[in-house]
Amino acid sequence: MKKRVTFIQPAVPHYRVPFFNILSNNYKVAVYHSGDDLNNSNSFQEKKVRKLILLKMFIFQIIPFRKVLAHSDIIIINGNLRNLSNILLIILCIIYGKRIIWWGHLISAF
């Protein structure tokens, strides 16, 4: 059975799509994002979510937290500190003992 890897991102840049397709050869990959729709020929699961902009500075993506926690072996979260839903998801991952990678500029994984 393939490991389930979930990515949480604000959007999916075009240059990252081939990476997700290659990764999905060995893993079951789901990408939650609030950006533009991707084409349907990808081998990973695209999960579009809504986002709220708070005080013109903070973002909150409407992510189904229970579903993400239940259906993921590893969760990879973008390190944008302005995304409040990412911070909440990191806290939930720590509470429920889920493996997470929090990546970004000047951020180390744990």
Side-chain angles (χ1 to χ4, degrees), residues 12 15 26 30-31 33-34 41 55 61 70-71 73 84 88 92 105:
V12 179
Y15 58 84
N26 296 317
V31 180
H33 70 93
S34 302
S41 64
L55 302 173
Q61 289 178 291
H71 298 291
D73 294 312
L84 301 177
L88 177 59
L92 291 171
H105 299 290

Side-chain angles (χ1 to χ4, degrees), residues 4-108:
R4 300 168 298 184
V5 179
T6 301
F7 288 85
I8 308 294
Q9 298 200 181
V12 179
H14 71 281
Y15 58 84
R16 209 164 277 148
V17 171
F19 167 74
F20 292 137
N21 282 322
I22 292 169
L23 193 62
S24 66
N25 291 334
N26 296 317
Y27 300 94
K28 185 176 178 183
V29 177
V31 180
Y32 287 82
H33 70 93
S34 302
D36 294 333
D37 289 329
L38 305 173
N39 63 31
N40 293 335
S41 64
N42 295 312
S43 57
F44 61 92
Q45 294 178 325
E46 175 190 14
K47 309 283 188 169
K48 288 276 298 201
V49 295
R50 292 182 332 140
K51 72 176 177 182
L52 303 172
I53 298 176
L54 310 167
L55 302 173
K56 296 183 181 180
M57 184 175 168
F58 297 103
I59 300 167
F60 189 88
Q61 289 178 291
I62 312 297
I63 299 168
F65 294 108
R66 286 184 187 193
K67 187 175 184 179
V68 168
L69 291 170
H71 298 291
S72 303
D73 294 312
I74 301 168
I75 301 170
I76 301 174
I77 302 169
N78 180 285
N80 185 349
L81 292 174
R82 294 183 317 129
N83 192 332
L84 301 177
S85 55
N86 286 354
I87 295 169
L88 177 59
L89 187 55
I90 289 169
I91 293 168
L92 291 171
C93 286
I94 292 169
I95 290 170
Y96 290 102
K98 284 292 184 177
R99 297 184 76 188
I100 58 173
I101 298 173
W102 189 29
W103 66 274
H105 299 290
L106 302 175
I107 295 175
S108 50

